[in-house]
Amino acid sequence: MVFDNAMFILSVDVDVGSKKLAVLNNGKHDKDVGSHFGEFLIGEVEERVLPKFVDIINCFEIAVTFAIRGQLLEVDSSIIDLLLDSPVSHDIGAHGYYHRAFTEISQKEAEGELREIHLRMSGHGIFPKSFVFPRNRVAHLDLLKRYGYKCYRGPGGFLRDNINIERCEALYNICPSMYISLGLNPFLLRRIVDLCITKKSPLHFWLHLWNFGQDKEHIERNTNKILVPILRYAKKKERSGMLTFETMLSAAKKAEESQIHEGYL
Ligand SMILES: [Zn+2]
């Protein structure tokens, strides 16, 4: 696909969102969330630090995609309320209902999850169009289309990371370019932004907040060390007209416009 400019896309996975959800599940979905940490710890960290993180993002006046686990709305809507009240209009996407890998559930179970997400989120006036597959395992794309999704994030990893958007079964895969983790060198990140500017490519960073530390102080320090400098750098490039900030959804819309313009649709 041909774009007028590079795009800087950021998506944030909310795997649990509240420790109340862990209490409700009583360890049942710990293994679905991760092999190192259970739902309680992740829920507690996300609940505690997400407001600060949204503040930081809002200071840059950029919209990002927050992929929310649907089941969170059974117990707590504070994260959704925070995003809905935000002065910057963020893309609120879905991250499964129970955070189960879609490759490991049947068509019927996947449909059940999408139906539940729709019921819970529509109650808050949200009709998600961006889907982040739990554990990045892609399956049941036909159902996603049927439930009104426009884009998803496919699998990442060193050999699969990409600076591209692909069309697949009438949906757009906003390919992940790089997972933002603590070990990354800010200089390397700036060079990747430069590369995407030269190629006029989409650049999709994604992250888990809990990967930045387990308490507010560490997360704040690490966010300031890694994420803030790259946002500041990209913001400077945006002001020079070299890139635009996009959510997964707005990037998918640009991809569609590009395909229409090129005569593919
Ligand atoms: Zn996840």
Side-chain angles (χ1 to χ4, degrees):
M1 287 180 210
V2 179
F3 298 106
D4 295 336
N5 263 321
M7 297 186 228
F8 188 106
I9 306 153
L10 180 63
S11 58
V12 181
D13 300 5
V14 179
D15 288 345
V16 183
S18 166
K19 60 187 172 201
K20 282 188 231 159
L21 188 53
V23 173
L24 176 79
N25 289 329
N26 198 19
K28 191 178 165 203
H29 289 291
D30 280 351
K31 66 172 180 12
D32 294 321
V33 169
S35 36
H36 302 300
F37 304 119
E39 283 186 304
F40 196 90
L41 178 64
I42 292 179
E44 194 178 27
V45 171
E46 289 177 335
E47 182 180 6
R48 206 184 307 142
V49 302
L50 212 103
K52 178 70 191 167
F53 180 78
V54 173
D55 259 1
I56 293 172
I57 294 292
N58 285 350
C59 283
F60 283 94
E61 297 179 326
I62 61 173
V64 310
T65 295
F66 287 93
I68 310 287
R69 171 171 164 178
Q71 199 198 7
L72 171 62
L73 292 173
E74 281 185 33
V75 295
D76 195 341
S77 67
S78 50
I79 286 180
I80 288 284
D81 295 338
L82 176 83
L83 295 175
L84 289 175
D85 290 342
S86 158
V88 178
S89 179
H90 297 291
D91 172 30
I92 304 177
H95 193 34
Y97 193 78
Y98 296 108
H99 202 279
R100 294 183 296 179
F102 265 42
T103 46
E104 289 167 22
I105 59 177
S106 67
Q107 179 96 348
K108 197 173 163 195
E109 287 172 311
E111 177 146 28
E113 291 224 3
L114 294 173
R115 196 183 310 118
E116 282 296 322
I117 291 167
H118 173 76
L119 287 174
R120 295 282 172 188
M121 288 204 174
S122 62
H124 294 265
I126 300 164
F127 299 89
K129 300 268 185 288
S130 306
F131 195 88
V132 170
F133 284 96
R135 314 201 80 168
N136 298 323
R137 305 220 182 121
V138 176
H140 308 299
L141 283 178
D142 53 328
L143 287 177
L144 247 59
K145 172 76 186 145
R146 208 189 308 155
Y147 275 80
Y149 290 92
K150 194 161 185 68
C151 58
Y152 65 95
R153 196 182 73 211
F158 185 67
L159 296 174
R160 287 168 145 170
D161 285 346
N162 208 340
I163 46 171
N164 200 9
I165 293 176
E166 300 165 347
R167 188 175 164 93
C168 191
E169 297 196 28
L171 292 157
Y172 289 95
N173 174 14
I174 314 298
C175 300
S177 308
M178 187 176 263
Y179 181 66
I180 302 265
S181 64
L182 290 185
L184 288 177
N185 179 336
F187 177 77
L188 170 72
L189 291 178
R190 287 200 295 274
R191 294 294 75 84
I192 293 172
V193 171
D194 291 340
L195 172 74
C196 289
I197 287 173
T198 309
K199 290 178 161 294
K200 297 188 174 179
S201 301
L203 172 62
H204 184 182
F205 288 127
W206 64 287
L207 60 91
H208 288 116
L209 274 179
W210 50 263
N211 188 242
F212 283 73
Q214 289 175 18
D215 58 53
K216 213 170 170 173
E217 189 194 327
H218 280 92
I219 290 177
E220 208 172 317
R221 194 189 310 152
N222 289 324
T223 303
N224 284 329
K225 196 171 115 193
I226 293 165
L227 192 64
V228 168
I230 195 62
L231 291 179
R232 208 174 275 143
Y233 186 71
K235 198 73 193 168
K236 209 164 77 184
K237 299 294 178 186
E238 182 201 34
R239 281 195 290 268
S240 312
M242 294 176 179
L243 62 74
T244 57
F245 282 94
E246 306 293 342
T247 64
M248 283 174 55
L249 181 57
S250 66
K253 287 179 180 166
K254 283 202 161 180
E256 190 170 48
E257 281 163 19
S258 161
Q259 287 205 301
I260 290 170
H261 185 71
E262 290 169 45
Y264 288 112
L265 293 178

